Amino acid sequence: MRLQRALAAYENVNVMRLLPKTIKRALSSSVKAVKSAPRETFVERVSAGPGLKEFLNVKAVSKFKTAAQEEEIIPYLPLDCYNGKGRRVFFEVYGCQMNTNDTEVVLSILTANGYVKCDDIKQADVIMIVTCAVREGAETKIWNRLNHLKAMKEKRSSKKGPLQITVLGCMAERLKQRLLEKEKCVDVVAGPDSYKDLPRLLAISRHYQQSAINVLLSLDETYADVMPVRLNSESPTAFVSIMRGCDNMCTYCIVPFTRGRERSRDLESIKQEVIALRENGIKEVTLLGQNVNSYRDTSKETETTENVSTVPGFKTVYKPKIGGLPFSTLLQEVAKAVPDVRIRFTSPHPKDFSEDVLRVIRDYPNVCKNLHLPAQSGSNTVLERMRRGYTREAYLQLVDTIRFYLPNVGLSSDFICGFCGETEYEFQDTVTLIEQVQYNVAFLFAYSMREKTTAYRKYKDDVPQEVKSQRLQRMVKAFRDGATELHRQYEGRKELILIEGKSKRSDDFVFGRNDANIKVIVPFRTLPKGKNGTTSSKRHIEVGDFVVAKILESNSQVLKGEPLYLSSIKDFYSNV
C-alpha cells in the first residue's frame, strides 16, 4: 500500500514540486526498484494465499464481546507460523493403552513441527491432557485437574509467554462445547481423528488468543503414515495401533461415538512399524484396536471374497465385512517377521476369535498364550440389553474351544455390575460365570451412564450406587478366589519372563511378565547366558532380558520366583 502511494506521488508532478530534494531522491529510488522488480502473476498471488483448509474447524470466541457483537476472525496464518520453535510440551495421559499410543502419535507430529517434549510441567509452554470418556470417574478426575491447571495458567509469568492447555481424545469429542464454555482455560480441543491438525490449532490459538477446535471424526484416518515417538524410550515394550473406531454399538459404550467407525491400517505398514521397533531394541509389541480381532485390511484386492464369519453362537448389529485380509493373517505375518519379539493384542471381542486365530496363537511361540475375553455380564437378559451379541452358553463354549487349542492359556476379562435394570438374580449369574471360567486378570467396574449411548436413550440407570458398590466387592472376591487357585498351578513350573524394571518395593528385586501376562517378581541377580551357560558368561539382569525363572510362590495378583538363566524365545521353547 505504501509503495502504491509512493508511485502515485512520484507520478504527480504538483506533489513532487513541493517535496525536499532528499525525499525526492529516496522516493525516486524506491519507485524505480518497484518498477524494475518482476511482476507477480495472478496465479502466484493466489498460490501464496490461504487455502480452504485454513478457514475450517476453528471457533473464534471473543473475550471482549458478547455473542451478538462477536466479529468473525479469519483463522489464516502462514505455514511457517505452525512451527513450535522449541516450545515445550508436557503430556498427561489418562485411560487405556490406545491413549498411550495416541500420545506417541501426537508427539511424533509435534516433534516434526518444532515442539519439544518436556518432563517438568512447570517448564511447559503447552500442557496436553489426553482424556478418556469411558467411565464417569475418569472424567471427574480430568475436570478436577483442569481446575488446577487453570490456576497455574493464571499465575504464569508474562515473561514466559502464554501457557496453552489442550484437551485431546475421547472426552474432547464428547464434551467439546462444555470444555470451551465452562473451562475458559482450555485453548485447544482436538478429537481422536484430528491430531495432524494440532500444529495449526496451536498456532491459531496462540496468534489470535482464541480457542481452537477440531473434533471431526474420520472414516479413513488411521495415522498409518505417522511413526510414533515413544514416551518411554527405556521400556522394552511398545504399542502398535492396527485399527481405530468400533462398529459393535454395545448399548453401554461411548467408544463408537467418540472414536467413530471401524477402519483398519494396511498390513504392510503395521509389519514395517513392528520391524522398526525390533531394530530399536523392543522385545514385546502389543497390537491395539477398539475391536482388534475384527481387523480387516481391504486396501488391496485379494482372492478372498467371502464374508467374515463370527464364532458360532455370536452375532453382530452390522453387515458382515467382505474380502480383505483378516486378523489371523496379520497376526501370522507379524509373528513371522519378528520371531524374537513377543506379540500380544488387545482389546478383542469374543465374536471374532475364529479357530484360524487360535491356530496362529498355538503355532507361533512368540505369540503370547494370553487372551482378553471380555464378558461384561453372565446373565443372558443383561447381555441382551447390553447388545453384546451372544449368550452365556455361547461364551462358555468359546472358552472350551480356546482351552482346547491353548491348554495353558491365560485369560483376562471385563465385567460390569449394576447395569440398567440388573436384578440380584441376574447379577448372581455374573458371579457364577467368574467362578466357573476363572480368570488370571480381570477389570471389574460398577456401571456409569454415558450420554449419547443407546442405554442413555433407552434405559434408566436405576440400580442404587450402594448396591453397585456391594456387587463390585462380590465380583472382586469371586475373581480373586479363582485367580488364586489358577496361579497356584504355576508353582514349580519354569516360566519365561521379560524383565521390565525394578520392583516398586525393593531395588533388590526386578519384575517382568510371563507368557500369560502375569506379573512375576524375582531377585536381582547375575545369571549365565543359556541353560548350560558357564560362570564366565554371567552378567547382571537388565531391562529387556528374557529370563527363565522357577515359580516358588503365588497369589491372585503376582507370582514370585527364582531366576535361573538368560534365554530367548526360541531357545526356551525348543527346550520345553
Side-chain angles (χ1 to χ4, degrees):
M1 183 62 72
R2 290 179 180 177
L3 290 175
Q4 290 175 348
R5 290 173 181 169
L7 185 60
Y10 181 77
E11 293 174 345
N12 190 323
V13 177
N14 293 327
V15 172
M16 290 296 291
R17 288 175 180 173
L18 300 176
L19 297 176
K21 290 183 179 180
T22 54
I23 295 178
K24 287 180 181 178
R25 283 196 295 271
L27 184 59
S28 176
S29 61
S30 297
V31 171
K32 287 178 180 178
V34 172
K35 288 186 174 182
S36 62
R39 189 172 182 179
E40 189 178 35
T41 66
F42 173 77
V43 173
E44 290 172 333
R45 290 199 303 274
V46 170
S47 300
L52 179 61
K53 68 176 183 178
E54 309 296 342
F55 300 94
L56 298 177
N57 303 327
V58 176
K59 181 180 180 181
V61 181
S62 174
K63 297 180 179 179
F64 307 103
K65 298 178 183 292
T66 64
Q69 297 172 323
E70 186 177 310
E71 295 179 357
E72 184 177 357
I73 298 175
I74 298 176
Y76 167 69
L77 287 174
L79 289 177
D80 60 351
C81 291
Y82 294 5
N83 193 286
K85 299 178 181 178
R87 286 174 63 79
R88 291 160 294 191
V89 184
F90 180 85
F91 291 96
E92 287 191 11
V93 186
Y94 298 84
C96 63
Q97 295 102 323
M98 182 63 79
N99 276 5
T100 300
N101 184 254
D102 277 5
T103 305
E104 294 177 342
V105 169
V106 170
L107 180 56
S108 177
I109 293 168
L110 294 181
T111 300
N113 283 273
Y115 289 85
V116 179
K117 182 177 178 290
C118 171
D119 295 324
D120 184 356
I121 193 170
K122 295 180 180 178
Q123 301 299 320
D125 301 303
V126 181
I127 299 174
M128 293 198 160
I129 312 296
V130 186
T131 64
C132 175
V134 173
R135 284 174 288 278
E136 186 177 4
E139 285 192 359
T140 301
K141 187 183 295 185
I142 293 165
W143 284 120
N144 293 335
R145 185 59 176 152
L146 286 174
N147 288 331
H148 176 77
L149 295 178
K150 183 178 182 180
M152 181 185 295
K153 185 174 182 177
E154 292 171 348
K155 293 178 182 178
R156 184 177 172 89
S157 170
S158 59
K159 294 180 181 179
K160 293 184 177 181
L163 173 63
Q164 291 180 288
I165 298 176
T166 302
V167 176
L168 310 179
C170 295
M171 188 172 166
E173 198 289 328
R174 193 177 87 81
L175 297 171
K176 46 192 175 291
Q177 205 67 29
R178 185 180 170 194
L179 282 165
L180 292 177
E181 292 176 356
K182 180 182 176 181
E183 300 300 327
K184 301 296 183 181
C185 66
V186 177
D187 300 285
V188 173
V189 178
D193 292 343
S194 59
Y195 298 147
K196 289 179 181 177
D197 199 29
L198 276 171
R200 185 183 71 89
L201 296 173
L202 288 166
I204 288 170
S205 172
R206 186 170 68 250
H207 184 82
Y208 291 107
Q209 297 184 348
Q210 307 289 352
S211 297
I213 180 172
N214 183 351
V215 292
L216 294 178
L217 292 175
S218 170
L219 291 175
D220 54 14
E221 180 61 82
T222 61
Y223 299 108
D225 56 339
V226 178
M227 181 63 73
V229 174
R230 297 174 59 230
L231 294 175
N232 183 2
S233 59
E234 304 300 319
S235 173
T237 66
F239 300 114
V240 173
S241 176
I242 68 169
M243 61 183 299
R244 302 180 74 84
C246 183
D247 290 344
N248 288 320
M249 300 302 291
C250 301
T251 59
Y252 58 84
C253 187
I254 192 67
V255 168
F257 303 96
T258 58
R259 288 190 173 268
R261 299 297 299 273
E262 193 174 284
R263 64 270 191 199
S264 300
R265 282 176 62 179
D266 65 283
L267 188 151
E268 193 59 33
S269 73
I270 297 168
K271 189 164 71 171
Q272 292 306 315
E273 183 174 341
V274 172
I275 291 172
L277 288 169
R278 190 268 308 274
E279 292 173 351
N280 282 283
I282 291 299
K283 298 295 181 66
E284 180 179 293
V285 169
T286 301
L287 306 179
L288 291 179
Q290 265 73 41
N291 186 17
V292 67
N293 52 345
S294 69
Y295 171 89
R296 201 75 174 176
D297 178 9
T298 58
S299 61
K300 298 178 182 178
E301 291 185 7
T302 63
E303 295 180 359
T304 304
T305 58
E306 61 187 35
N307 292 356
V308 180
S309 59
T310 57
V311 173
F314 290 70
K315 61 183 179 181
T316 67
V317 296
Y318 57 83
K319 294 180 180 179
K321 296 180 176 66
I322 300 176
L325 301 173
F327 181 65
S328 57
T329 301
L330 169 68
L331 196 58
Q332 184 177 33
E333 288 295 310
V334 171
K336 288 194 297 186
V338 287
D340 52 345
V341 175
R342 269 183 174 172
I343 306 299
R344 301 188 190 274
F345 57 90
T346 195
S347 175
H349 191 287
K351 67 180 172 60
D352 299 303
F353 272 113
S354 68
E355 294 191 31
D356 287 341
V357 172
L358 298 177
R359 278 189 284 267
V360 172
I361 299 171
R362 178 196 63 190
D363 295 342
Y364 287 85
N366 59 327
V367 181
C368 292
K369 281 54 180 177
N370 158 234
L371 299 181
H372 189 58
L373 204 64
Q376 306 302 354
S377 175
S379 165
N380 285 341
T381 50
V382 173
L383 288 170
E384 186 176 357
R385 291 201 297 275
M386 288 180 168
R387 201 192 283 154
R388 289 292 289 171
Y390 54 84
T391 62
R392 174 193 181 99
E393 291 73 24
Y395 182 89
L396 288 171
Q397 179 60 50
L398 175 60
V399 171
D400 290 341
T401 302
I402 290 172
R403 284 179 167 156
F404 171 77
Y405 280 98
L406 310 168
N408 295 317
V409 67
L411 291 181
S412 59
S413 191
D414 298 332
F415 284 94
I416 298 172
C417 67
F419 183 66
C420 305
E422 184 185 65
T423 65
E424 174 61 27
Y425 179 80
E426 290 172 327
F427 171 70
Q428 191 59 39
D429 282 343
T430 296
V431 174
T432 57
L433 181 67
I434 295 173
E435 292 172 340
Q436 183 173 347
V437 175
Q438 295 188 325
Y439 300 93
N440 300 93
V441 179
F443 304 93
L444 311 171
F445 304 99
Y447 175 68
S448 59
M449 181 75 82
R450 304 282 79 197
E451 293 180 18
K452 291 188 177 181
T453 61
T454 302
Y456 182 79
R457 299 191 306 271
K458 190 174 180 180
Y459 302 126
K460 183 179 179 181
D461 186 9
D462 53 0
V463 179
Q465 188 59 47
E466 59 271 20
V467 174
K468 291 180 181 178
S469 298
Q470 292 170 3
R471 290 178 181 176
L472 179 59
Q473 292 174 12
R474 290 161 61 189
M475 281 201 306
V476 170
K477 183 180 185 305
F479 155 68
R480 286 184 175 173
D481 289 346
T484 299
E485 186 177 334
L486 269 182
H487 292 177
R488 197 174 291 123
Q489 299 173 14
Y490 285 96
E491 294 179 10
R493 281 165 44 177
K494 293 179 181 179
E495 292 289 304
L496 183 69
I497 64 174
L498 173 62
I499 302 299
E500 297 182 29
K502 290 184 177 180
S503 171
K504 292 181 180 180
R505 296 188 178 183
S506 173
D507 289 345
D508 295 331
F509 291 83
V510 292
F511 79 94
R513 296 183 186 276
N514 68 352
D515 202 47
N517 205 29
I518 306 169
K519 190 174 183 179
V520 182
I521 299 173
V522 297
F524 179 57
R525 298 270 177 84
T526 57
L527 298 177
K529 294 182 180 180
K531 186 176 182 180
N532 301 313
T534 61
T535 304
S536 61
S537 70
K538 283 188 174 183
R539 66 168 175 81
H540 283 294
I541 297 174
E542 298 176 357
V543 171
D545 281 338
F546 281 109
V547 171
V548 177
K550 184 177 181 179
I551 305 303
L552 304 176
E553 300 178 41
S554 66
N555 58 42
S556 63
Q557 304 298 312
V558 300
L559 307 175
K560 296 180 181 180
E562 182 73 17
L564 302 177
Y565 57 90
L566 304 173
S567 186
S568 66
I569 296 174
K570 180 180 177 181
D571 290 343
F572 176 75
Y573 286 104
S574 64
N575 293 322
V576 173

